[in-house]
Amino acid sequence: MIEIQDHGKVREIRLARPPVNALGPELVGALRAALADARRDQCEGVVLSGRPGMFSAGLDLKALLVLQRDSMGRFWREFFSLLRDTASHPVPVVAAITGHSPAGGAVLSLFCDRRVAAAGDFKFGLNEVQVGLVVPKPIQHAVVRLIGAHRAEQLLVRGALLNPDDALAVGLVDEVTAPDKVVESSVAWLAQMAALPRTAMLETRKLLRAPLVDLFEQFTQSDFEEMLEHWFLQETQQSLHGVLARLAGRSAD
């Protein structure tokens, strides 16, 4: 499900759920536990990575589309808790985007301190609208925080997927490097952060990231119920089942 590798005092948490690191209940729970372990072990930085060519293909539709409302509600709460855990982690977290990262994979990276993407023919972005989903408010605001309101609107309403260089140009990622250097570059940046006066760096970081963490405090029960309603709309379910059928067809080829 995940693999752990320590680079000195930097902890790499590698998504290892073949074939595409799809984010279902088990992987989300494992990531939350691994982030908690890194906090407990007083790591100086955390890298979230995937396998070569694939960071995460997003939500595990096969697992999620069979869930009833209560179970789906529990998953969404757990997923939002993972995003909040990432945003509020006491030390910097870097997303080492080792390949494709649409939808949920891109969402997870938004709440990291830095995003380092592998160069190549990979797709990155929030394509939720293309598959029939409404982008929840905390995720919308996280995109706006990175790239500004107008640019966020242009990308989110279209559900655009970008190549790494275009993602860099609009500010969705901070660096593009050779695929075999993504983790190395992420670890090096964290080492630079760790070399700064520690209290000053961590407290300044905490203050600046507080609005990102607060997005989840501002997400009301009414907002949550509305998100669930959108998930179970007939139009949404038809669209998502269509996506799942197309993916199954590709796997069979």
Side-chain angles (χ1 to χ4, degrees), residues 3 9 21 31 38 48 61 69 87 90 100 120 132 154 162 165-166 179-180 187 194 236:
E3 298 170 351
K9 293 185 178 180
N21 293 332
L31 283 168
L48 299 179
L61 293 182
R69 186 183 179 93
H100 293 295
Q154 296 300 306
L162 307 177
D165 288 334
D166 288 342
D180 62 347
V187 171
T236 305

Side-chain angles (χ1 to χ4, degrees), residues 9-67:
K9 293 185 178 180
V10 170
R11 171 73 48 87
E12 180 186 356
I13 301 170
R14 186 181 303 125
L15 283 67
R17 185 173 181 241
V20 294
N21 293 332
L23 295 164
E26 291 184 357
L27 182 53
V28 168
L31 283 168
R32 291 196 69 198
L35 286 170
D37 288 345
R39 180 190 295 252
R40 180 203 63 206
D41 295 341
Q42 298 184 333
C43 297
E44 291 186 350
V46 174
V47 174
L48 299 179
S49 68
R51 66 170 175 81
M54 178 62 68
F55 180 64
S56 171
L59 297 180
D60 184 353
L61 293 182
K62 185 176 181 180
L64 298 180
L65 284 173
V66 300
L67 297 182

Side-chain angles (χ1 to χ4, degrees), residues 84-232:
R84 190 184 188 284
D85 290 348
T86 305
S88 64
H89 206 275
V91 297
V93 181
V94 178
I97 304 167
T98 49
H100 293 295
S101 187
V107 168
L108 181 58
S109 78
L110 295 175
F111 295 89
C112 296
D113 296 68
R114 184 173 177 83
R115 286 146 294 280
V116 180
D121 187 20
F122 301 123
K123 294 300 182 184
F124 177 89
L126 289 89
N127 62 326
E128 279 79 356
V129 165
Q130 289 194 24
V131 299
L133 293 175
V134 177
V135 181
K137 289 180 183 178
I139 298 168
Q140 291 182 30
H141 289 303
V143 178
V144 170
R145 176 178 179 268
L146 281 182
I147 65 175
H150 178 68
R151 188 167 278 172
E153 178 184 341
Q154 296 300 306
L155 293 177
L156 292 177
V157 172
R158 290 191 295 120
L161 289 174
L162 307 177
N163 64 43
D165 288 334
D166 288 342
L168 177 65
V170 301
L172 276 176
V173 303
D174 301 292
E175 180 184 349
V176 176
T177 190
D180 62 347
K181 300 293 184 184
V182 175
V183 172
E184 179 183 324
S185 181
S186 300
V187 171
W189 184 84
L190 287 167
Q192 293 173 9
M193 295 299 102
L196 294 169
R198 187 163 181 78
T199 300
M201 184 273 286
L202 292 178
E203 287 302 312
T204 301
R205 171 185 176 270
K206 183 178 179 179
L207 288 169
L208 288 169
R209 291 177 70 77
L212 191 59
V213 179
D214 287 346
L215 293 174
F216 298 99
E217 306 301 327
Q218 297 161 9
F219 194 71
T220 67
Q221 180 63 28
S222 176
D223 291 327
F224 187 77
E225 292 296 331
E226 184 178 11
M227 187 176 72
L228 274 178
E229 288 294 333
H230 286 150
W231 176 268
F232 284 104

